[in-house]
Amino acid sequence: MAGESVTLIGLWSSPFVLRVKWALEVKGIEYQYVEEDLSNKSAMLLQYNPVYKKVPVLVHDGKPLAESLVILEYIDETWKQTPLLPHDPYEKAKARFWSRFVDEKCVPALITTFFKGGEEQQKAGQEVRENLKILEGGIEGKHFGGEKIGFVDIAIGWLGYWIPIVEEIVGINLIDKELMPKLDAWFHDFLEHPVIKECIPPRDKLLNHNKASRKVSTSSST
Amino acid sequence: MKSEVKLLGAWPSPFVTRVRIALNMKSVEYEFLEERLESKSQLLLQSNPIYQKIPVLIHRDKPLSESLIIVQYVDDVWSSHSPILPSDPYDRAIARFWAAYIDEKWYPTMRSIRGAEGIEEKKRLIEEVKKGLGLLEEVFKNSSKGKGFYGGDQLGMLDIALGGFLGWLRVTEIANGVKLLDQGNTPELVKWAQRFCEHDAVKHVMPDTGKLIEFAKTLKR
């Protein structure tokens, strides 16, 4: 739209940034992308997200927003084409529930599985599998929201790309194709969608990046 | 119809208080089913199998959990009056951002004061809580636009999100001999807290501080 400026401050390796990218792309919104260097945070980032100093940050006509799920809802409410959240209040609430479930339960367990070792890692891995089984139970139809790409797909689809990379690096199976067939199929379908596929960072690059960050973390733990 | 809306809850829970305030604002009649914390009811386990926690709202037999999700649902369904979220998308996003901050950063810090090891750690956590309230004071000034609540003339999302914790905030102050909300650091929030607790939608559901202190004594460390 003329006169409108949308900037996404992000990091190529962040799934939370990818969520926002996906939402912008699916809605066909024009935006400027700025890559942030988290080891040397820009003045812009510190100004726009003083509370967390993290990405993603969306700036729309000079007004900044942080926290990916908050940004997703803002995008959906501001640009009404290709609605992401369902219209029905109960379905909307369920969509919010699943998105929060991933952030609050799956992500911490996945991080522990990735960065820790020994028993702690095994326990966390078990937790990830249990959480994925719960997600399996929540899928209705082709996507979380039914037949079209919606809010939950965009909020949690990244797991289908990141988890196999974690599995490869730590050697623990998390997505069990037998126990979670719907989830597995859904991840594949989602990541094959042309708009979605185009934004995904290259696998080798992401794999190597994550391997390196794991090395740094495990060698620097006292 | 009263039985159309059921709320599974417990009087000391700040999360349950939030939902009750929202339902009161919207004049929704509901059946309050008090959960006993020592033994979870079948209904709770059935309707919230994932977290097995309160509050759970059951509307026309469909269950919902997570207090802020429930509050937004109540706002969406009973939309004809007393809006909880503002209408402008950016203002809504700001409200959601700070509500998430309260749940993910501020409240966990306050809650951990109780089990903190040593005086230094307690002091550090208390300072962090106060710093957070300082941020929320600034948000209040921007959001209220000179009116009495985060939502302006009416209660809004942040009033409910933060206000639900006022009982436990007072308990924390008394238990640690400190003031978390004070005239020096958060003068506007001091006044807001009083206004909030006197609000019609709040005053009958905000747990009494004395009762909370007694209740807190029964909790396992």
Side-chain angles (χ1 to χ4, degrees):
Chain A
M1 250 193 252
E4 213 169 4
S5 106
V6 179
T7 304
L8 172 61
I9 307 173
L11 192 63
W12 68 270
S13 55
S14 160
F16 305 103
V17 171
L18 188 56
R19 281 174 166 168
V20 178
K21 247 194 211 171
W22 276 336
L24 293 167
E25 294 285 339
V26 162
K27 294 218 179 222
I29 299 163
E30 272 189 45
Y31 65 101
Q32 200 195 16
Y33 178 75
V34 175
E35 186 79 26
E36 181 68 34
D37 176 4
L38 287 183
S39 60
N40 183 18
K41 296 181 184 186
S42 69
M44 183 172 60
L45 180 67
L46 299 176
Q47 185 197 334
Y48 284 147
N49 189 5
V51 177
Y52 296 109
K53 307 180 177 63
K54 283 189 188 170
V55 293
V57 169
L58 188 82
V59 189
H60 181 204
D61 285 342
K63 294 192 289 191
L65 276 178
E67 292 303 283
S68 57
L69 292 181
V70 172
I71 296 172
L72 285 189
E73 289 215 41
Y74 174 77
I75 290 173
D76 205 30
E77 287 173 0
T78 305
W79 291 276
K80 310 240 191 228
Q81 69 273 25
T82 321
L84 300 175
L85 271 175
H87 186 71
D88 173 71
Y90 188 72
E91 296 301 316
K92 203 186 275 195
K94 278 201 321 198
R96 289 181 174 135
F97 177 86
W98 286 119
S99 311
R100 293 237 126 255
F101 172 75
V102 163
D103 281 10
E104 276 161 33
K105 294 285 230 181
C106 303
V107 169
L110 191 62
I111 289 175
T112 304
T113 310
F114 185 67
F115 283 109
K116 300 288 176 175
E119 246 213 80
E120 209 182 341
Q121 183 188 49
Q122 293 300 323
K123 243 182 100 184
Q126 217 1 69
E127 214 187 304
V128 173
R129 288 170 62 105
E130 278 160 19
N131 290 335
L132 292 176
K133 281 216 295 249
I134 290 173
L135 281 178
E136 167 88 5
I139 299 175
E140 295 154 4
K142 189 160 190 257
H143 294 282
F144 260 88
E147 293 307 307
K148 289 200 318 247
I149 284 194
F151 192 87
V152 180
D153 303 288
I154 288 179
I156 83 181
W158 62 273
L159 288 173
Y161 196 71
W162 259 257
I163 289 181
I165 288 177
V166 170
E167 286 176 327
E168 192 177 317
I169 295 174
V170 304
I172 297 178
N173 173 251
L174 298 168
I175 299 179
D176 186 324
K177 295 184 207 301
E178 274 176 30
L179 291 178
M180 309 151 192
K182 283 198 283 184
L183 192 68
D184 188 50
W186 169 67
F187 280 145
H188 275 116
D189 271 346
F190 175 71
L191 294 169
E192 280 301 312
H193 188 287
V195 174
I196 300 301
K197 197 169 180 178
E198 216 191 304
C199 304
I200 301 173
R203 199 178 194 272
D204 281 344
K205 194 177 176 198
L206 192 60
L207 181 72
N208 290 330
H209 169 84
N210 283 332
K211 268 192 190 156
S213 65
R214 184 164 192 266
K215 257 214 189 99
V216 169
S217 164
T218 49
S219 68
S220 65
S221 51
T222 32
Chain B
M1 259 207 301
K2 207 170 184 193
S3 58
E4 219 181 58
V5 184
K6 293 184 173 59
L7 177 63
L8 301 181
W11 68 268
S13 161
F15 305 102
V16 171
T17 303
R18 284 171 166 179
V19 175
R20 297 185 84 177
I21 293 168
L23 290 168
N24 287 347
M25 276 175 72
K26 304 280 190 175
S27 310
V28 175
E29 277 195 38
Y30 64 97
E31 198 183 338
F32 185 64
L33 298 168
E34 185 95 33
E35 276 289 317
R36 293 183 50 210
L37 296 174
E38 325 86 59
S39 64
K40 300 182 184 187
S41 72
Q42 263 307 109
L43 185 59
L44 176 61
L45 298 176
Q46 240 174 279
S47 47
N48 188 7
I50 294 174
Y51 291 107
Q52 300 184 0
K53 283 189 186 171
I54 45 165
V56 175
L57 188 82
I58 303 177
H59 181 210
R60 295 184 184 140
D61 293 326
K62 294 198 282 197
L64 268 181
S65 62
E66 298 301 285
S67 63
L68 293 182
I69 290 179
I70 297 172
V71 167
Q72 288 184 89
Y73 173 77
V74 169
D75 201 28
D76 284 339
V77 172
W78 289 277
S79 53
S80 57
H81 69 97
S82 306
I84 293 173
L85 276 170
S87 50
D88 174 72
Y90 188 73
D91 292 338
R92 291 161 77 91
I94 294 294
R96 289 184 177 125
F97 173 88
W98 287 105
Y101 167 82
I102 289 166
D103 274 5
E104 286 161 34
K105 289 267 175 285
W106 185 79
Y107 175 62
T109 307
M110 184 171 81
R111 199 185 53 213
S112 63
I113 292 172
R114 203 185 141 75
E117 306 258 330
I119 295 186
E120 282 314 305
E121 180 64 0
K122 269 207 173 145
K123 263 170 76 175
R124 188 188 70 80
L125 291 168
I126 287 168
E127 275 320 297
E128 237 184 270
V129 169
K130 287 173 80 163
K131 230 175 107 187
L133 288 169
L135 288 180
L136 291 165
E137 167 97 354
E138 285 312 301
V139 176
F140 177 81
K141 287 188 211 160
N142 293 330
S143 183
S144 62
K145 301 193 184 27
K147 302 291 172 78
F149 300 106
Y150 279 97
D153 280 321
Q154 305 243 34
L155 297 183
M157 174 83 144
L158 286 178
D159 296 288
I160 294 175
L162 183 60
F165 289 119
L166 282 173
W168 282 104
L169 186 145
R170 295 264 177 262
V171 171
T172 308
E173 287 182 329
I174 292 168
N176 294 280
V178 291
K179 279 246 152 260
L180 296 171
L181 284 179
D182 67 53
Q183 277 301 124
N185 189 35
T186 53
E188 292 300 317
L189 286 185
V190 167
K191 288 184 272 183
W192 164 82
Q194 187 157 348
R195 238 178 267 132
F196 180 81
C197 292
E198 286 167 5
H199 192 284
D200 279 338
V202 177
K203 61 189 181 196
H204 299 299
V205 299
M206 179 63 76
D208 171 72
T209 307
K211 286 207 183 126
L212 277 180
I213 292 175
E214 285 311 304
F215 173 77
K217 291 184 186 154
T218 71
L219 290 172
K220 289 185 232 158
R221 235 170 188 277

